[in-house]
Amino acid sequence: MLTRPQSIRHAADHRPEPATRAAALREQICCNQDLSFLMEAHDGLSSAVAERAGFKGLWASGLSIASSLGYRDASEASWTQLVDAVERMVDSTSLPMLVDGDSGFGNFNNARILARKLRQRGAAGVALEDKQFPKMNSFIGDRHPLADTNEFSGRLRAVKDAVGDELVLVARIEALIAGHGMDEALHRAHAYANAGADA
């Protein structure tokens, strides 16, 4: 019978529970007064490399995951492909992972399903950007159409209702990069905080 050498340990053998990962990410994002960095990753290998390099958390980049699958960062990769990639990443590291959930892949129902599946696969958090679906990468073109503030707040509330504090919810405000100005960004920030976003 073949066995693994004792010196090699598989990440899944020491994987923290999802609630533990979410608590670790929440500590980094919401409670830590020191500057903290999340390293971009898009597959199991890049996740393991980031952990070995000493990073304390991962950013599961939608751009990088889509690119690794041969797609543009324009909602071409499906939410199921994203969730599958996240599962492989979670299996390769013990670090908490914040997942780029794009705009939630549709309306509040889609965002809620995405969040539940990410929690089941071991993600620690999800970031949703306040764009319409399908979305385009923020650095391509200008004046991207943003989601209605009330509608996006509903997406956030649906996610919070579905996963509670078991997944850190980050609302990514696109108003500035879309050229709408600081007043619009602050208006959206207050609305999203009231809707339950953690950050």
mmCIF file of all heavy atoms in Angstrom, residues 13-57:
data_model
loop_
_atom_site.group_PDB
_atom_site.id
_atom_site.type_symbol
_atom_site.label_atom_id
_atom_site.label_comp_id
_atom_site.label_asym_id
_atom_site.label_seq_id
_atom_site.Cartn_x
_atom_site.Cartn_y
_atom_site.Cartn_z
ATOM 1 N N ASP A 13 -6.134 18.374 4.939
ATOM 2 C CA ASP A 13 -5.996 17.701 6.231
ATOM 3 C C ASP A 13 -6.034 18.680 7.399
ATOM 4 O O ASP A 13 -6.307 18.289 8.525
ATOM 5 C CB ASP A 13 -4.681 16.908 6.291
ATOM 6 C CG ASP A 13 -4.638 15.774 5.276
ATOM 7 O OD1 ASP A 13 -5.730 15.360 4.814
ATOM 8 O OD2 ASP A 13 -3.540 15.311 4.947
ATOM 9 N N HIS A 14 -5.708 19.945 7.143
ATOM 10 C CA HIS A 14 -5.660 20.943 8.224
ATOM 11 C C HIS A 14 -6.520 22.158 7.906
ATOM 12 O O HIS A 14 -6.293 23.240 8.413
ATOM 13 C CB HIS A 14 -4.203 21.369 8.491
ATOM 14 C CG HIS A 14 -3.554 22.055 7.322
ATOM 15 N ND1 HIS A 14 -3.550 23.412 7.181
ATOM 16 C CD2 HIS A 14 -2.911 21.562 6.239
ATOM 17 C CE1 HIS A 14 -2.916 23.745 6.067
ATOM 18 N NE2 HIS A 14 -2.521 22.632 5.479
ATOM 19 N N ARG A 15 -7.534 21.960 7.094
ATOM 20 C CA ARG A 15 -8.381 23.067 6.649
ATOM 21 C C ARG A 15 -9.281 23.536 7.778
ATOM 22 O O ARG A 15 -10.011 22.740 8.360
ATOM 23 C CB ARG A 15 -9.203 22.586 5.468
ATOM 24 C CG ARG A 15 -9.933 23.669 4.755
ATOM 25 C CD ARG A 15 -10.502 23.169 3.479
ATOM 26 N NE ARG A 15 -11.294 21.967 3.697
ATOM 27 C CZ ARG A 15 -11.970 21.359 2.746
ATOM 28 N NH1 ARG A 15 -11.941 21.816 1.533
ATOM 29 N NH2 ARG A 15 -12.670 20.289 3.000
ATOM 30 N N PRO A 16 -9.262 24.842 8.088
ATOM 31 C CA PRO A 16 -10.172 25.360 9.112
ATOM 32 C C PRO A 16 -11.623 25.291 8.647
ATOM 33 O O PRO A 16 -11.909 25.269 7.457
ATOM 34 C CB PRO A 16 -9.737 26.819 9.270
ATOM 35 C CG PRO A 16 -8.452 26.966 8.552
ATOM 36 C CD PRO A 16 -8.389 25.872 7.540
ATOM 37 N N GLU A 17 -12.530 25.273 9.595
ATOM 38 C CA GLU A 17 -13.954 25.321 9.286
ATOM 39 C C GLU A 17 -14.291 26.675 8.647
ATOM 40 O O GLU A 17 -13.639 27.677 8.932
ATOM 41 C CB GLU A 17 -14.774 25.144 10.566
ATOM 42 C CG GLU A 17 -14.672 23.760 11.166
ATOM 43 C CD GLU A 17 -15.250 22.696 10.250
ATOM 44 O OE1 GLU A 17 -16.327 22.931 9.661
ATOM 45 O OE2 GLU A 17 -14.608 21.645 10.107
ATOM 46 N N PRO A 18 -15.316 26.714 7.778
ATOM 47 C CA PRO A 18 -15.678 27.977 7.137
ATOM 48 C C PRO A 18 -15.928 29.118 8.125
ATOM 49 O O PRO A 18 -15.540 30.256 7.875
ATOM 50 C CB PRO A 18 -16.951 27.617 6.368
ATOM 51 C CG PRO A 18 -16.811 26.164 6.070
ATOM 52 C CD PRO A 18 -16.094 25.579 7.269
ATOM 53 N N ALA A 19 -16.575 28.827 9.255
ATOM 54 C CA ALA A 19 -16.847 29.890 10.237
ATOM 55 C C ALA A 19 -15.552 30.463 10.794
ATOM 56 O O ALA A 19 -15.449 31.663 11.061
ATOM 57 C CB ALA A 19 -17.726 29.355 11.362
ATOM 58 N N THR A 20 -14.543 29.607 10.962
ATOM 59 C CA THR A 20 -13.242 30.066 11.455
ATOM 60 C C THR A 20 -12.577 30.968 10.431
ATOM 61 O O THR A 20 -11.980 31.991 10.782
ATOM 62 C CB THR A 20 -12.338 28.859 11.763
ATOM 63 O OG1 THR A 20 -13.017 28.004 12.681
ATOM 64 C CG2 THR A 20 -11.017 29.293 12.351
ATOM 65 N N ARG A 21 -12.668 30.589 9.163
ATOM 66 C CA ARG A 21 -12.089 31.422 8.101
ATOM 67 C C ARG A 21 -12.795 32.774 8.029
ATOM 68 O O ARG A 21 -12.157 33.811 7.862
ATOM 69 C CB ARG A 21 -12.196 30.714 6.749
ATOM 70 C CG ARG A 21 -11.264 29.541 6.598
ATOM 71 C CD ARG A 21 -11.343 29.021 5.188
ATOM 72 N NE ARG A 21 -10.815 27.695 5.056
ATOM 73 C CZ ARG A 21 -9.849 27.370 4.207
ATOM 74 N NH1 ARG A 21 -9.303 28.270 3.443
ATOM 75 N NH2 ARG A 21 -9.436 26.130 4.125
ATOM 76 N N ALA A 22 -14.115 32.764 8.131
ATOM 77 C CA ALA A 22 -14.867 34.023 8.083
ATOM 78 C C ALA A 22 -14.484 34.924 9.250
ATOM 79 O O ALA A 22 -14.327 36.134 9.086
ATOM 80 C CB ALA A 22 -16.365 33.744 8.083
ATOM 81 N N ALA A 23 -14.309 34.337 10.431
ATOM 82 C CA ALA A 23 -13.905 35.123 11.604
ATOM 83 C C ALA A 23 -12.517 35.732 11.388
ATOM 84 O O ALA A 23 -12.273 36.886 11.748
ATOM 85 C CB ALA A 23 -13.921 34.254 12.853
ATOM 86 N N ALA A 24 -11.612 34.967 10.787
ATOM 87 C CA ALA A 24 -10.257 35.476 10.526
ATOM 88 C C ALA A 24 -10.292 36.618 9.518
ATOM 89 O O ALA A 24 -9.593 37.625 9.680
ATOM 90 C CB ALA A 24 -9.361 34.340 10.031
ATOM 91 N N LEU A 25 -11.109 36.486 8.475
ATOM 92 C CA LEU A 25 -11.221 37.557 7.490
ATOM 93 C C LEU A 25 -11.874 38.790 8.097
ATOM 94 O O LEU A 25 -11.444 39.920 7.868
ATOM 95 C CB LEU A 25 -12.024 37.087 6.272
ATOM 96 C CG LEU A 25 -12.159 38.108 5.142
ATOM 97 C CD1 LEU A 25 -10.798 38.426 4.535
ATOM 98 C CD2 LEU A 25 -13.106 37.595 4.066
ATOM 99 N N ARG A 26 -12.921 38.577 8.896
ATOM 100 C CA ARG A 26 -13.589 39.699 9.558
ATOM 101 C C ARG A 26 -12.607 40.467 10.449
ATOM 102 O O ARG A 26 -12.611 41.692 10.482
ATOM 103 C CB ARG A 26 -14.765 39.185 10.378
ATOM 104 C CG ARG A 26 -15.664 40.271 10.948
ATOM 105 C CD ARG A 26 -16.860 39.672 11.678
ATOM 106 N NE ARG A 26 -17.615 38.733 10.854
ATOM 107 C CZ ARG A 26 -18.453 39.097 9.881
ATOM 108 N NH1 ARG A 26 -18.648 40.366 9.620
ATOM 109 N NH2 ARG A 26 -19.104 38.186 9.178
ATOM 110 N N GLU A 27 -11.757 39.744 11.143
ATOM 111 C CA GLU A 27 -10.736 40.375 11.994
ATOM 112 C C GLU A 27 -9.816 41.255 11.155
ATOM 113 O O GLU A 27 -9.497 42.386 11.529
ATOM 114 C CB GLU A 27 -9.931 39.300 12.728
ATOM 115 C CG GLU A 27 -8.784 39.825 13.564
ATOM 116 C CD GLU A 27 -9.223 40.614 14.788
ATOM 117 O OE1 GLU A 27 -10.342 40.380 15.283
ATOM 118 O OE2 GLU A 27 -8.440 41.472 15.249
ATOM 119 N N GLN A 28 -9.379 40.746 10.000
ATOM 120 C CA GLN A 28 -8.478 41.511 9.136
ATOM 121 C C GLN A 28 -9.148 42.747 8.550
ATOM 122 O O GLN A 28 -8.563 43.821 8.487
ATOM 123 C CB GLN A 28 -7.967 40.635 7.983
ATOM 124 C CG GLN A 28 -6.951 39.601 8.379
ATOM 125 C CD GLN A 28 -6.409 38.878 7.165
ATOM 126 O OE1 GLN A 28 -5.994 39.501 6.200
ATOM 127 N NE2 GLN A 28 -6.425 37.557 7.220
ATOM 128 N N ILE A 29 -10.398 42.587 8.121
ATOM 129 C CA ILE A 29 -11.073 43.673 7.406
ATOM 130 C C ILE A 29 -11.712 44.687 8.353
ATOM 131 O O ILE A 29 -11.620 45.892 8.143
ATOM 132 C CB ILE A 29 -12.149 43.096 6.465
ATOM 133 C CG1 ILE A 29 -11.479 42.349 5.323
ATOM 134 C CG2 ILE A 29 -13.049 44.189 5.921
ATOM 135 C CD1 ILE A 29 -12.452 41.708 4.362
ATOM 136 N N CYS A 30 -12.374 44.201 9.384
ATOM 137 C CA CYS A 30 -13.220 45.070 10.203
ATOM 138 C C CYS A 30 -12.606 45.497 11.534
ATOM 139 O O CYS A 30 -13.017 46.512 12.086
ATOM 140 C CB CYS A 30 -14.549 44.371 10.486
ATOM 141 S SG CYS A 30 -15.444 43.887 8.999
ATOM 142 N N CYS A 31 -11.685 44.739 12.038
ATOM 143 C CA CYS A 31 -11.237 44.982 13.412
ATOM 144 C C CYS A 31 -9.769 45.344 13.542
ATOM 145 O O CYS A 31 -9.364 45.910 14.557
ATOM 146 C CB CYS A 31 -11.504 43.736 14.269
ATOM 147 S SG CYS A 31 -13.210 43.164 14.188
ATOM 148 N N ASN A 32 -8.968 45.014 12.565
ATOM 149 C CA ASN A 32 -7.531 45.214 12.649
ATOM 150 C C ASN A 32 -7.182 46.668 12.330
ATOM 151 O O ASN A 32 -7.589 47.185 11.292
ATOM 152 C CB ASN A 32 -6.828 44.265 11.668
ATOM 153 C CG ASN A 32 -5.335 44.219 11.854
ATOM 154 O OD1 ASN A 32 -4.774 44.950 12.650
ATOM 155 N ND2 ASN A 32 -4.696 43.345 11.095
ATOM 156 N N GLN A 33 -6.430 47.308 13.198
ATOM 157 C CA GLN A 33 -6.022 48.693 12.966
ATOM 158 C C GLN A 33 -4.806 48.792 12.058
ATOM 159 O O GLN A 33 -4.489 49.859 11.549
ATOM 160 C CB GLN A 33 -5.721 49.382 14.310
ATOM 161 C CG GLN A 33 -6.929 49.516 15.206
ATOM 162 C CD GLN A 33 -8.043 50.327 14.568
ATOM 163 O OE1 GLN A 33 -7.821 51.408 14.039
ATOM 164 N NE2 GLN A 33 -9.253 49.780 14.585
ATOM 165 N N ASP A 34 -4.105 47.679 11.854
ATOM 166 C CA ASP A 34 -2.925 47.671 10.996
ATOM 167 C C ASP A 34 -3.327 47.399 9.550
ATOM 168 O O ASP A 34 -4.316 46.729 9.278
ATOM 169 C CB ASP A 34 -1.933 46.592 11.453
ATOM 170 C CG ASP A 34 -1.417 46.852 12.868
ATOM 171 O OD1 ASP A 34 -1.230 48.031 13.214
ATOM 172 O OD2 ASP A 34 -1.222 45.872 13.601
ATOM 173 N N LEU A 35 -2.523 47.917 8.625
ATOM 174 C CA LEU A 35 -2.741 47.662 7.211
ATOM 175 C C LEU A 35 -2.522 46.182 6.925
ATOM 176 O O LEU A 35 -1.550 45.587 7.378
ATOM 177 C CB LEU A 35 -1.786 48.508 6.377
ATOM 178 C CG LEU A 35 -1.989 48.503 4.867
ATOM 179 C CD1 LEU A 35 -3.370 49.042 4.502
ATOM 180 C CD2 LEU A 35 -0.916 49.333 4.190
ATOM 181 N N SER A 36 -3.438 45.581 6.204
ATOM 182 C CA SER A 36 -3.361 44.161 5.900
ATOM 183 C C SER A 36 -3.546 43.966 4.402
ATOM 184 O O SER A 36 -4.300 44.700 3.765
ATOM 185 C CB SER A 36 -4.446 43.405 6.671
ATOM 186 O OG SER A 36 -4.389 42.029 6.426
ATOM 187 N N PHE A 37 -2.862 42.985 3.846
ATOM 188 C CA PHE A 37 -2.923 42.729 2.413
ATOM 189 C C PHE A 37 -3.499 41.348 2.142
ATOM 190 O O PHE A 37 -3.124 40.382 2.798
ATOM 191 C CB PHE A 37 -1.528 42.805 1.785
ATOM 192 C CG PHE A 37 -0.937 44.180 1.812
ATOM 193 C CD1 PHE A 37 -0.128 44.586 2.857
ATOM 194 C CD2 PHE A 37 -1.201 45.079 0.791
ATOM 195 C CE1 PHE A 37 0.414 45.854 2.886
ATOM 196 C CE2 PHE A 37 -0.658 46.351 0.817
ATOM 197 C CZ PHE A 37 0.140 46.742 1.864
ATOM 198 N N LEU A 38 -4.395 41.273 1.165
ATOM 199 C CA LEU A 38 -4.864 40.001 0.652
ATOM 200 C C LEU A 38 -4.161 39.787 -0.682
ATOM 201 O O LEU A 38 -4.137 40.684 -1.521
ATOM 202 C CB LEU A 38 -6.376 40.009 0.432
ATOM 203 C CG LEU A 38 -7.262 40.313 1.641
ATOM 204 C CD1 LEU A 38 -8.732 40.301 1.222
ATOM 205 C CD2 LEU A 38 -7.024 39.324 2.754
ATOM 206 N N MET A 39 -3.609 38.604 -0.890
ATOM 207 C CA MET A 39 -2.900 38.312 -2.131
ATOM 208 C C MET A 39 -3.847 37.734 -3.158
ATOM 209 O O MET A 39 -4.637 36.845 -2.842
ATOM 210 C CB MET A 39 -1.758 37.330 -1.861
ATOM 211 C CG MET A 39 -0.926 37.008 -3.082
ATOM 212 S SD MET A 39 -0.187 38.516 -3.744
ATOM 213 C CE MET A 39 0.571 37.893 -5.216
ATOM 214 N N GLU A 40 -3.766 38.215 -4.382
ATOM 215 C CA GLU A 40 -4.569 37.676 -5.478
ATOM 216 C C GLU A 40 -4.209 36.220 -5.721
ATOM 217 O O GLU A 40 -3.044 35.832 -5.692
ATOM 218 C CB GLU A 40 -4.306 38.476 -6.752
ATOM 219 C CG GLU A 40 -5.078 38.017 -7.972
ATOM 220 C CD GLU A 40 -4.504 36.799 -8.679
ATOM 221 O OE1 GLU A 40 -3.288 36.566 -8.622
ATOM 222 O OE2 GLU A 40 -5.291 36.061 -9.281
ATOM 223 N N ALA A 41 -5.231 35.410 -5.960
ATOM 224 C CA ALA A 41 -5.026 34.018 -6.350
ATOM 225 C C ALA A 41 -6.160 33.610 -7.278
ATOM 226 O O ALA A 41 -7.235 34.215 -7.260
ATOM 227 C CB ALA A 41 -4.990 33.113 -5.121
ATOM 228 N N HIS A 42 -5.901 32.598 -8.079
ATOM 229 C CA HIS A 42 -6.911 32.177 -9.053
ATOM 230 C C HIS A 42 -7.003 30.663 -9.195
ATOM 231 O O HIS A 42 -7.849 30.172 -9.932
ATOM 232 C CB HIS A 42 -6.627 32.806 -10.417
ATOM 233 C CG HIS A 42 -5.239 32.530 -10.912
ATOM 234 N ND1 HIS A 42 -4.158 33.270 -10.499
ATOM 235 C CD2 HIS A 42 -4.771 31.583 -11.737
ATOM 236 C CE1 HIS A 42 -3.063 32.790 -11.071
ATOM 237 N NE2 HIS A 42 -3.412 31.756 -11.827
ATOM 238 N N ASP A 43 -6.142 29.928 -8.511
ATOM 239 C CA ASP A 43 -6.206 28.469 -8.552
ATOM 240 C C ASP A 43 -5.517 27.920 -7.303
ATOM 241 O O ASP A 43 -5.028 28.676 -6.470
ATOM 242 C CB ASP A 43 -5.588 27.906 -9.838
ATOM 243 C CG ASP A 43 -4.108 28.243 -10.001
ATOM 244 O OD1 ASP A 43 -3.459 28.735 -9.040
ATOM 245 O OD2 ASP A 43 -3.584 28.009 -11.095
ATOM 246 N N GLY A 44 -5.493 26.592 -7.192
ATOM 247 C CA GLY A 44 -4.908 25.975 -6.014
ATOM 248 C C GLY A 44 -3.436 26.294 -5.847
ATOM 249 O O GLY A 44 -2.971 26.562 -4.735
ATOM 250 N N LEU A 45 -2.685 26.298 -6.937
ATOM 251 C CA LEU A 45 -1.248 26.544 -6.847
ATOM 252 C C LEU A 45 -0.953 27.966 -6.392
ATOM 253 O O LEU A 45 -0.151 28.177 -5.474
ATOM 254 C CB LEU A 45 -0.584 26.269 -8.197
ATOM 255 C CG LEU A 45 0.924 26.510 -8.255
ATOM 256 C CD1 LEU A 45 1.665 25.660 -7.230
ATOM 257 C CD2 LEU A 45 1.457 26.251 -9.657
ATOM 258 N N SER A 46 -1.603 28.958 -7.008
ATOM 259 C CA SER A 46 -1.338 30.348 -6.605
ATOM 260 C C SER A 46 -1.775 30.591 -5.164
ATOM 261 O O SER A 46 -1.143 31.380 -4.441
ATOM 262 C CB SER A 46 -2.025 31.332 -7.564
ATOM 263 O OG SER A 46 -3.417 31.122 -7.614
ATOM 264 N N SER A 47 -2.806 29.897 -4.704
ATOM 265 C CA SER A 47 -3.235 30.018 -3.304
ATOM 266 C C SER A 47 -2.179 29.469 -2.360
ATOM 267 O O SER A 47 -1.840 30.088 -1.348
ATOM 268 C CB SER A 47 -4.554 29.265 -3.091
ATOM 269 O OG SER A 47 -5.558 29.774 -3.919
ATOM 270 N N ALA A 48 -1.643 28.296 -2.693
ATOM 271 C CA ALA A 48 -0.615 27.684 -1.853
ATOM 272 C C ALA A 48 0.660 28.519 -1.837
ATOM 273 O O ALA A 48 1.308 28.677 -0.791
ATOM 274 C CB ALA A 48 -0.320 26.268 -2.343
ATOM 275 N N VAL A 49 1.016 29.093 -2.988
ATOM 276 C CA VAL A 49 2.203 29.942 -3.068
ATOM 277 C C VAL A 49 2.025 31.181 -2.189
ATOM 278 O O VAL A 49 2.945 31.584 -1.456
ATOM 279 C CB VAL A 49 2.501 30.340 -4.537
ATOM 280 C CG1 VAL A 49 3.537 31.448 -4.607
ATOM 281 C CG2 VAL A 49 2.964 29.126 -5.331
ATOM 282 N N ALA A 50 0.839 31.795 -2.230
ATOM 283 C CA ALA A 50 0.582 32.982 -1.410
ATOM 284 C C ALA A 50 0.700 32.664 0.074
ATOM 285 O O ALA A 50 1.270 33.443 0.842
ATOM 286 C CB ALA A 50 -0.805 33.540 -1.726
ATOM 287 N N GLU A 51 0.161 31.523 0.490
ATOM 288 C CA GLU A 51 0.270 31.143 1.901
ATOM 289 C C GLU A 51 1.724 30.911 2.281
ATOM 290 O O GLU A 51 2.191 31.379 3.324
ATOM 291 C CB GLU A 51 -0.554 29.891 2.184
ATOM 292 C CG GLU A 51 -0.512 29.485 3.650
ATOM 293 C CD GLU A 51 -1.482 28.371 3.982
ATOM 294 O OE1 GLU A 51 -1.796 27.555 3.095
ATOM 295 O OE2 GLU A 51 -1.936 28.326 5.144
ATOM 296 N N ARG A 52 2.456 30.229 1.424
ATOM 297 C CA ARG A 52 3.871 29.938 1.709
ATOM 298 C C ARG A 52 4.694 31.230 1.775
ATOM 299 O O ARG A 52 5.664 31.321 2.522
ATOM 300 C CB ARG A 52 4.414 29.026 0.616
ATOM 301 C CG ARG A 52 5.777 28.505 0.862
ATOM 302 C CD ARG A 52 5.727 27.026 1.070
ATOM 303 N NE ARG A 52 7.008 26.546 1.482
ATOM 304 C CZ ARG A 52 7.504 25.399 1.134
ATOM 305 N NH1 ARG A 52 6.809 24.595 0.376
ATOM 306 N NH2 ARG A 52 8.668 25.031 1.557
ATOM 307 N N ALA A 53 4.282 32.246 1.004
ATOM 308 C CA ALA A 53 4.987 33.527 0.990
ATOM 309 C C ALA A 53 4.678 34.381 2.216
ATOM 310 O O ALA A 53 5.280 35.427 2.405
ATOM 311 C CB ALA A 53 4.637 34.300 -0.277
ATOM 312 N N GLY A 54 3.713 33.949 3.044
ATOM 313 C CA GLY A 54 3.441 34.650 4.288
ATOM 314 C C GLY A 54 2.222 35.533 4.308
ATOM 315 O O GLY A 54 1.973 36.219 5.309
ATOM 316 N N PHE A 55 1.430 35.548 3.237
ATOM 317 C CA PHE A 55 0.212 36.351 3.253
ATOM 318 C C PHE A 55 -0.802 35.743 4.221
ATOM 319 O O PHE A 55 -0.803 34.543 4.461
ATOM 320 C CB PHE A 55 -0.382 36.464 1.846
ATOM 321 C CG PHE A 55 0.390 37.383 0.954
ATOM 322 C CD1 PHE A 55 1.410 36.893 0.156
ATOM 323 C CD2 PHE A 55 0.124 38.740 0.942
ATOM 324 C CE1 PHE A 55 2.146 37.744 -0.652
ATOM 325 C CE2 PHE A 55 0.850 39.594 0.135
ATOM 326 C CZ PHE A 55 1.868 39.105 -0.663
ATOM 327 N N LYS A 56 -1.651 36.593 4.784
ATOM 328 C CA LYS A 56 -2.621 36.159 5.793
ATOM 329 C C LYS A 56 -4.024 35.975 5.231
ATOM 330 O O LYS A 56 -4.939 35.589 5.948
ATOM 331 C CB LYS A 56 -2.673 37.159 6.960
ATOM 332 C CG LYS A 56 -1.337 37.386 7.630
ATOM 333 C CD LYS A 56 -0.798 36.098 8.224
ATOM 334 C CE LYS A 56 0.521 36.371 8.939
ATOM 335 N NZ LYS A 56 1.321 35.158 9.058
ATOM 336 N N GLY A 57 -4.206 36.277 3.961
ATOM 337 C CA GLY A 57 -5.514 36.121 3.343
ATOM 338 C C GLY A 57 -5.396 36.171 1.835
ATOM 339 O O GLY A 57 -4.377 36.610 1.292
#
